Amino acid sequence: MSGFRLFCFKQFFKVHVFCLLMMVIFRLFMHVQLGFMLWMAIFFSTLGSGIYLSHKPYMITKDIYAIMAVSSCLSLSIIAQRFLWIAFRIDLMNMMYFFLAMFMFAFIAASAMKLKRRKKKKRIKKRINWLKRLSYIGWGFLMFLFFYQLMLSYLLRPNFLTVMALSISHGNLLLIMWTYVDVKQLYEPRKRRR
Protein backbone atom coordinates (compact mmCIF):
# COMPACT_ATOMS: atom_id res chain seq x y z
CA MET A 1 0.00 0.00 0.00
CA SER A 2 1.47 3.37 -1.06
CA GLY A 3 2.09 6.23 1.35
CA PHE A 4 -0.63 8.33 -0.29
CA ARG A 5 -3.19 5.54 0.19
CA LEU A 6 -2.19 5.21 3.84
CA PHE A 7 -2.81 8.95 4.17
CA CYS A 8 -6.25 8.47 2.54
CA PHE A 9 -6.92 5.57 4.91
CA LYS A 10 -6.40 7.95 7.86
CA GLN A 11 -8.76 10.49 6.27
CA PHE A 12 -11.46 7.82 5.90
CA PHE A 13 -11.14 7.18 9.64
CA LYS A 14 -11.58 10.92 10.29
CA VAL A 15 -14.74 10.88 8.15
CA HIS A 16 -16.10 8.02 10.31
CA VAL A 17 -15.29 9.92 13.52
CA PHE A 18 -17.00 13.02 12.08
CA CYS A 19 -20.11 10.95 11.26
CA LEU A 20 -20.25 9.53 14.78
CA LEU A 21 -19.90 13.04 16.26
CA MET A 22 -22.69 14.26 13.98
CA MET A 23 -24.92 11.50 15.37
CA VAL A 24 -24.32 12.85 18.87
CA ILE A 25 -25.12 16.41 17.69
CA PHE A 26 -28.26 15.22 15.86
CA ARG A 27 -29.53 13.41 18.93
CA LEU A 28 -28.53 15.77 21.77
CA PHE A 29 -28.80 19.23 20.21
CA MET A 30 -31.18 18.88 17.25
CA HIS A 31 -33.42 16.21 18.81
CA VAL A 32 -33.45 14.14 15.60
CA GLN A 33 -35.00 10.68 15.90
CA LEU A 34 -32.51 8.00 14.84
CA GLY A 35 -34.30 6.09 12.10
CA PHE A 36 -33.14 3.10 10.09
CA MET A 37 -30.79 5.15 7.86
CA LEU A 38 -29.01 6.86 10.76
CA TRP A 39 -28.56 3.51 12.52
CA MET A 40 -26.99 2.26 9.27
CA ALA A 41 -24.61 5.24 9.34
CA ILE A 42 -23.71 4.42 12.96
CA PHE A 43 -23.05 0.81 11.94
CA PHE A 44 -20.81 1.81 8.98
CA SER A 45 -18.90 4.39 11.04
CA THR A 46 -18.38 1.99 13.96
CA LEU A 47 -17.22 -0.71 11.53
CA GLY A 48 -14.82 1.72 9.82
CA SER A 49 -13.43 3.01 13.12
CA GLY A 50 -12.99 -0.57 14.36
CA ILE A 51 -11.11 -1.54 11.18
CA TYR A 52 -8.80 1.45 11.51
CA LEU A 53 -8.03 0.85 15.19
CA SER A 54 -7.49 -2.90 14.80
CA HIS A 55 -5.12 -2.76 11.81
CA LYS A 56 -1.55 -1.49 11.70
CA PRO A 57 -0.31 0.31 8.53
CA TYR A 58 1.65 -2.73 7.23
CA MET A 59 -1.43 -4.99 7.69
CA ILE A 60 -3.68 -2.97 5.36
CA THR A 61 -4.75 -4.89 2.26
CA LYS A 62 -6.64 -3.57 -0.74
CA ASP A 63 -9.86 -5.23 0.52
CA ILE A 64 -9.61 -3.48 3.91
CA TYR A 65 -8.81 -0.19 2.15
CA ALA A 66 -11.84 -0.60 -0.16
CA ILE A 67 -14.18 -1.45 2.75
CA MET A 68 -12.97 1.61 4.66
CA ALA A 69 -13.40 3.90 1.62
CA VAL A 70 -16.86 2.65 0.62
CA SER A 71 -18.18 2.62 4.20
CA SER A 72 -17.03 6.23 4.72
CA CYS A 73 -18.86 7.24 1.52
CA LEU A 74 -22.06 5.50 2.63
CA SER A 75 -21.94 6.93 6.14
CA LEU A 76 -21.22 10.50 5.00
CA SER A 77 -23.95 10.26 2.33
CA ILE A 78 -26.55 9.41 4.98
CA ILE A 79 -25.33 12.26 7.24
CA ALA A 80 -25.34 14.76 4.34
CA GLN A 81 -28.86 13.73 3.28
CA ARG A 82 -30.23 14.17 6.81
CA PHE A 83 -28.40 17.45 7.30
CA LEU A 84 -29.77 18.84 4.01
CA TRP A 85 -33.34 17.93 5.05
CA ILE A 86 -32.92 19.67 8.42
CA ALA A 87 -31.47 22.79 6.76
CA PHE A 88 -34.23 22.78 4.11
CA ARG A 89 -36.95 22.61 6.79
CA ILE A 90 -35.36 25.48 8.71
CA ASP A 91 -35.01 27.56 5.53
CA LEU A 92 -38.62 26.81 4.61
CA MET A 93 -39.78 28.04 8.03
CA ASN A 94 -37.58 31.15 7.71
CA MET A 95 -39.04 31.85 4.25
CA MET A 96 -42.57 31.56 5.67
CA TYR A 97 -41.66 33.98 8.47
CA PHE A 98 -40.11 36.31 5.91
CA PHE A 99 -43.22 36.36 3.68
CA LEU A 100 -45.47 36.84 6.71
CA ALA A 101 -43.32 39.76 7.87
CA MET A 102 -43.35 41.19 4.33
CA PHE A 103 -47.15 40.98 4.25
CA MET A 104 -47.41 42.73 7.63
CA PHE A 105 -44.97 45.43 6.49
CA ALA A 106 -46.93 45.96 3.26
CA PHE A 107 -50.21 46.17 5.22
CA ILE A 108 -48.80 48.74 7.67
CA ALA A 109 -47.23 50.76 4.84
CA ALA A 110 -50.50 50.72 2.82
CA SER A 111 -52.53 51.75 5.90
CA ALA A 112 -50.12 54.60 6.64
CA MET A 113 -50.33 55.80 3.02
CA LYS A 114 -54.17 55.77 3.14
CA LEU A 115 -54.21 57.76 6.40
CA LYS A 116 -51.80 60.26 4.90
CA ARG A 117 -53.97 60.64 1.78
CA ARG A 118 -57.07 61.30 3.88
CA LYS A 119 -55.26 64.04 5.77
CA LYS A 120 -53.99 65.53 2.52
CA LYS A 121 -57.50 65.57 0.98
CA LYS A 122 -58.61 67.98 3.71
CA ARG A 123 -55.72 70.29 2.86
CA ILE A 124 -55.15 72.00 -0.48
CA LYS A 125 -53.87 69.54 -3.08
CA LYS A 126 -50.17 69.92 -3.78
CA ARG A 127 -48.05 68.43 -6.51
CA ILE A 128 -46.85 64.90 -5.53
CA ASN A 129 -43.11 64.47 -5.32
CA TRP A 130 -42.71 60.85 -6.47
CA LEU A 131 -38.95 60.75 -5.98
CA LYS A 132 -39.32 61.73 -2.33
CA ARG A 133 -42.10 59.18 -1.84
CA LEU A 134 -40.04 56.38 -3.46
CA SER A 135 -37.08 57.41 -1.31
CA TYR A 136 -39.20 57.04 1.86
CA ILE A 137 -40.49 53.63 0.71
CA GLY A 138 -36.94 52.50 -0.13
CA TRP A 139 -35.55 53.57 3.25
CA GLY A 140 -38.51 51.98 5.03
CA PHE A 141 -37.96 48.72 3.15
CA LEU A 142 -34.23 48.81 3.93
CA MET A 143 -34.93 49.31 7.65
CA PHE A 144 -37.44 46.46 7.54
CA LEU A 145 -34.89 44.12 5.93
CA PHE A 146 -32.20 45.16 8.43
CA PHE A 147 -34.34 44.51 11.51
CA TYR A 148 -35.80 41.36 10.00
CA GLN A 149 -32.29 40.05 9.33
CA LEU A 150 -31.33 40.78 12.95
CA MET A 151 -34.40 38.85 14.11
CA LEU A 152 -33.62 36.01 11.69
CA SER A 153 -30.00 35.82 12.85
CA TYR A 154 -30.51 35.92 16.61
CA LEU A 155 -34.07 34.87 17.44
CA LEU A 156 -34.58 32.25 14.71
CA ARG A 157 -31.99 29.69 13.68
CA PRO A 158 -29.25 31.19 11.50
CA ASN A 159 -28.44 30.13 7.94
CA PHE A 160 -25.08 28.72 9.07
CA LEU A 161 -26.70 25.26 9.11
CA THR A 162 -27.56 25.55 5.42
CA VAL A 163 -23.98 26.53 4.55
CA MET A 164 -22.63 23.64 6.62
CA ALA A 165 -25.11 21.17 5.11
CA LEU A 166 -24.15 22.21 1.58
CA SER A 167 -20.42 22.04 2.43
CA ILE A 168 -20.83 18.49 3.80
CA SER A 169 -22.87 17.52 0.74
CA HIS A 170 -20.27 18.88 -1.71
CA GLY A 171 -17.46 17.22 0.26
CA ASN A 172 -19.43 13.98 0.15
CA LEU A 173 -19.77 14.18 -3.64
CA LEU A 174 -16.02 14.74 -4.01
CA LEU A 175 -15.34 11.80 -1.66
CA ILE A 176 -17.64 9.52 -3.70
CA MET A 177 -15.96 10.51 -7.00
CA TRP A 178 -12.47 10.05 -5.55
CA THR A 179 -13.35 6.67 -3.97
CA TYR A 180 -14.86 5.40 -7.23
CA VAL A 181 -11.73 6.27 -9.22
CA ASP A 182 -9.31 5.10 -6.51
CA VAL A 183 -10.94 1.74 -5.75
CA LYS A 184 -11.45 1.03 -9.45
CA GLN A 185 -7.76 1.73 -10.08
CA LEU A 186 -6.82 -0.43 -7.08
CA TYR A 187 -8.70 -3.46 -8.42
CA GLU A 188 -7.71 -3.10 -12.07
CA PRO A 189 -5.38 -5.92 -13.14
CA ARG A 190 -1.88 -4.66 -13.88
CA LYS A 191 -0.73 -5.09 -17.45
CA ARG A 192 2.08 -7.58 -17.83
CA ARG A 193 5.29 -6.30 -19.27
CA ARG A 194 6.42 -7.95 -22.49
Side-chain angles (χ1 to χ4, degrees), residues 83-163:
F83 218 146
L84 283 169
W85 271 113
I86 291 166
F88 175 71
R89 268 188 250 144
I90 291 165
D91 279 350
L92 202 62
M93 282 175 59
N94 287 342
M95 277 166 44
M96 284 168 62
Y97 287 133
F98 178 77
F99 286 126
L100 182 66
M102 280 284 288
F103 177 75
M104 287 169 67
F105 173 74
F107 179 74
I108 291 164
S111 301
M113 294 279 280
K114 278 184 181 179
L115 286 171
K116 213 169 188 183
R117 279 181 199 161
R118 283 181 187 172
K119 285 181 182 177
K120 279 189 177 180
K121 278 181 184 177
K122 292 174 184 177
R123 297 177 191 171
I124 300 166
K125 287 186 178 179
K126 292 180 182 177
R127 192 175 171 191
I128 298 167
N129 189 347
W130 286 104
L131 285 173
K132 202 171 185 181
R133 187 170 282 186
L134 287 171
S135 174
Y136 287 144
I137 290 168
W139 278 107
F141 186 65
L142 188 68
M143 292 298 287
F144 161 74
L145 285 177
F146 175 72
F147 285 114
Y148 180 78
Q149 194 59 44
L150 281 177
M151 187 177 77
L152 196 69
S153 300
Y154 295 106
L155 299 180
L156 305 172
R157 293 193 188 187
N159 289 333
F160 170 74
L161 276 177
T162 308
V163 174

Side-chain angles (χ1 to χ4, degrees), residues 27-117:
R27 193 72 196 97
L28 294 180
F29 299 105
M30 296 184 180
H31 306 292
V32 174
Q33 294 297 321
L34 298 179
F36 175 73
M37 294 301 287
L38 287 179
W39 278 111
M40 287 287 287
I42 289 171
F43 171 75
F44 289 134
S45 291
T46 307
L47 175 74
S49 302
I51 287 170
Y52 178 82
L53 294 170
S54 62
H55 287 82
K56 292 176 182 176
Y58 61 85
M59 292 170 60
I60 297 167
T61 62
K62 65 180 182 180
D63 291 335
I64 290 169
Y65 179 84
I67 289 167
M68 192 74 167
V70 172
S71 64
S72 67
C73 285
L74 289 169
S75 194
L76 193 60
S77 296
I78 294 165
I79 293 292
Q81 178 261 344
R82 181 51 65 95
F83 218 146
L84 283 169
W85 271 113
I86 291 166
F88 175 71
R89 268 188 250 144
I90 291 165
D91 279 350
L92 202 62
M93 282 175 59
N94 287 342
M95 277 166 44
M96 284 168 62
Y97 287 133
F98 178 77
F99 286 126
L100 182 66
M102 280 284 288
F103 177 75
M104 287 169 67
F105 173 74
F107 179 74
I108 291 164
S111 301
M113 294 279 280
K114 278 184 181 179
L115 286 171
K116 213 169 188 183
R117 279 181 199 161

